[in-house]
Amino acid sequence: MTDFEAVNWLEEVTKRQDELLADLFHLLRIDSVRNDEKADADNPVGPGPRKAMEEFLKLAERDGFQTEQFGPWAGRVEIGEGDELFGILGHMDVVPVGTGWDTDPFEPEIIDGKIFARGSSDDKGPTVAAYFALKLLRDMGATFNKRIHLIVGTDEESGWQCMDYYFDHAEMPDFGFSPDATFPIINGEKGNVSAELTVQAGTQQEGDLALEHFAAGLRPNMVPQDAQAELTIEAAGFDGGAFLRAYNTYLDNHDLQGEASIQDGTISMDLVGKSAHGSTPEKGVNAGTHLARFLAGFTYTANGADEFLRFLGEIVHGNFDGASLGVDHEDAVMGEVSMNVGIMEFAPAKGGHIDINFRYPKGTNPDQMLEHIQDRLLQFSQIEVTMGEFKKPHYVPADDPLVATLLEVYHKQTGLEPHEQVIGGGTYARLMPRGVAYGALFPDSTDTMHQANEFLALDDLLRATAIYAEAIYRLSR
């Protein structure tokens, strides 16, 4: 009989490393980006996320676990008995690939001890680590006096429709964690809401240029890495050569990459920034607002285009706490508002669309934020704003037994001092009244979530799996 109090968890995980990597690599090879163009009733966010979820369940069925699938949206692995329900919530969908990869994002490779693939750290790697921890415990003979549900979703990176469907058909856990963030713990998550701005095409006026096309951003929760624009020269005396020189100077002054060319009176432009998670916009370089900032220095034949570029380039560019829109606020525990301009689009026939994503602490709310933004928009005649659906701030006190146990396990296995944390990112943990996020990145890990060349260090994967194993054992006793 195993003496679980004496187990060297990392040693047990390392013995089974090849098995762990085989299952993870199988899932990483599945392109599970949401694809609305291929969506249908059977695949509401496209076929990739559902396939990854079903393949995850097949692995669990192969290993002898009881599983259940909830429509095309979510799946569950079950073990244990008891009155209380312990939930572990992960996801199989991933953000779009974007540009700038040095490897095939869906052909995982281990290079210098790092697993490169889209989803390696967000969230297939951590979810497989939690599953493998559960499997390890069962194989070692552990018994559980609580029911454990490991739940995987397919729409975490966009609308969370998967969890809406799941909890319409299944029981809410009494407590649990989501392996989708950082150690030592995330026991607080800011609220999440997007401001949706529409820009009317506007009336015609005299100007040097006509903005024919502008596009930047893949998701509201990603800092745009790429931006493109197309313009036509309207003024007879416009100096195209000076325009190109000025653009190159702008790129040089801001250490940016990009190109611009002029052919038959049409200017084509692109700019490359750096992607980052939308909850930490200061870690990225927003290609869209940079391109708009440069273009805002010229005049346009439609005042809608003029206001679109001026708002992006002069009001929100370089502002990460929402102060330029009057929505900045700070809570002593949860910290400051963060602001990410995630989607920017303009075409003469449709006008413009801007999605600004906010992560906000306790002490403010979307209604207050909307009022402040509307005040700032009084100087713009062509721009209107509405607030989308929102998620409220979530916090589990540091003295909660769940938090205390998880921090104790972390300290025991790492020797590092545990402490509570609040993030701007949102995880499934917030769905549970007593839910927290727990790993799989460590304080010294490089965070590449939502970026090109996403990776998870192999050592971190093994360490996280060991921590999950002991944590699950402790929480289910």
Side-chain angles (χ1 to χ4, degrees), residues 11-153:
E11 183 178 286
E12 293 297 330
V13 170
T14 304
K15 288 178 185 177
R16 300 161 174 83
Q17 172 180 317
D18 291 346
E19 181 183 352
L20 170 61
L21 290 176
D23 287 352
L24 174 57
F25 277 35
H26 175 68
L27 296 171
L28 289 173
R29 291 189 176 100
I30 300 170
D31 179 349
S32 53
V33 176
R34 175 173 178 154
N35 188 339
D36 292 333
E37 293 182 359
K38 295 184 178 180
D40 54 34
D42 293 327
N43 303 283
V45 288
R50 176 175 182 168
K51 180 180 179 182
M53 178 265 293
E54 291 179 340
E55 288 299 312
F56 180 87
L57 294 181
K58 288 178 182 177
L59 294 177
E61 292 165 2
R62 175 205 65 192
D63 293 334
F65 283 95
Q66 181 179 345
T67 67
E68 186 171 353
Q69 183 170 334
F70 293 79
W73 288 110
R76 182 172 79 200
V77 178
E78 306 174 24
I79 196 171
E81 297 179 349
D83 295 331
E84 282 191 282
L85 178 58
F86 170 19
I88 304 170
L89 279 64
H91 65 92
M92 288 290 108
D93 60 308
V94 298
V95 295
V97 169
T99 61
W101 284 76
D102 298 323
T103 62
D104 183 337
F106 296 111
E107 185 52 53
E109 295 185 41
I110 298 179
I111 303 172
D112 297 330
K114 302 170 183 175
I115 305 167
F116 286 87
R118 178 58 92 212
S120 56
S121 63
D122 185 18
D123 184 39
K124 293 177 182 177
T127 301
V128 171
Y131 167 73
F132 198 82
L134 199 60
K135 177 183 173 184
L136 174 65
L137 287 167
R138 186 206 58 183
D139 292 349
M140 293 175 68
T143 57
F144 311 99
N145 65 5
K146 296 177 177 64
R147 292 174 293 139
I148 302 174
H149 287 177
L150 197 167
I151 306 158
V152 293

Side-chain angles (χ1 to χ4, degrees), residues 421-444:
Q421 291 186 110
V422 176
I423 61 168
T427 74
Y428 286 154
R430 70 191 308 138
L431 297 171
M432 297 177 282
R434 292 177 60 224
V436 300
Y438 193 52
L441 297 183
F442 291 83
D444 61 351

Side-chain angles (χ1 to χ4, degrees), residues 123-384:
D123 184 39
K124 293 177 182 177
T127 301
V128 171
Y131 167 73
F132 198 82
L134 199 60
K135 177 183 173 184
L136 174 65
L137 287 167
R138 186 206 58 183
D139 292 349
M140 293 175 68
T143 57
F144 311 99
N145 65 5
K146 296 177 177 64
R147 292 174 293 139
I148 302 174
H149 287 177
L150 197 167
I151 306 158
V152 293
T154 56
D155 187 37
E156 196 272 351
E157 298 293 3
S158 44
W160 289 30
Q161 298 173 81
C162 52
M163 290 297 110
D164 291 340
Y165 184 90
Y166 178 84
F167 287 116
D168 281 344
H169 296 81
E171 183 180 358
M172 174 66 72
D174 295 299
F175 67 95
F177 69 82
S178 178
D180 191 18
T182 61
F183 290 115
I185 203 167
I186 303 296
N187 58 314
E189 298 184 8
K190 295 177 184 178
N192 188 332
V193 68
S194 281
E196 303 283 348
L197 287 81
T198 56
V199 186
Q200 300 301 315
T203 57
Q204 295 300 306
Q205 58 185 23
E206 290 187 3
D208 294 329
L209 301 166
L211 182 61
E212 306 293 349
H213 171 76
F214 188 103
L218 299 170
R219 290 282 192 275
N221 61 351
M222 299 174 69
V223 175
Q225 179 163 298
D226 300 283
Q228 300 84 33
E230 185 173 293
L231 310 98
T232 55
I233 298 172
E234 298 292 322
F238 185 79
D239 189 339
F243 178 92
L244 296 180
R245 290 190 295 274
Y247 185 54
N248 287 328
T249 298
Y250 183 89
L251 295 175
D252 290 341
N253 289 343
H254 295 87
D255 196 23
L256 297 167
Q257 300 295 315
E259 294 182 348
S261 62
I262 301 177
Q263 185 172 0
D264 298 328
T266 297
I267 303 173
S268 299
M269 308 178 70
D270 68 75
L271 190 148
V272 180
K274 178 185 176 183
S275 184
H277 197 289
S279 65
T280 53
E282 71 282 357
K283 294 182 179 180
V285 178
N286 195 313
T289 61
H290 262 294
L291 185 55
R293 184 171 179 82
F294 172 76
L295 291 174
F298 299 88
T299 60
Y300 296 86
T301 56
N303 67 338
D306 175 78
E307 292 195 3
F308 173 82
L309 295 170
R310 185 159 55 87
F311 175 81
L312 291 174
E314 298 179 2
I315 305 299
V316 296
H317 172 75
N319 180 241
F320 305 123
D321 65 0
S324 64
L325 294 179
V327 301
D328 50 317
H329 171 76
E330 184 173 4
D331 175 79
V333 174
M334 303 197 79
E336 296 180 329
V337 170
S338 68
M339 180 178 83
N340 178 55
V341 188
I343 303 291
M344 292 153 271
E345 301 169 334
F346 186 90
K350 298 180 179 180
H353 170 240
I354 302 169
D355 187 307
I356 305 179
N357 184 244
F358 298 97
R359 312 298 170 105
Y360 63 96
K362 295 181 295 182
T364 187
N365 61 63
D367 288 339
Q368 294 178 13
M369 297 167 75
L370 176 61
E371 291 182 7
H372 291 303
I373 296 171
Q374 288 173 329
D375 287 343
R376 293 299 194 276
L377 291 179
L378 291 175
Q379 61 182 295
F380 297 93
S381 63
Q382 303 300 127
I383 304 180
E384 298 180 349

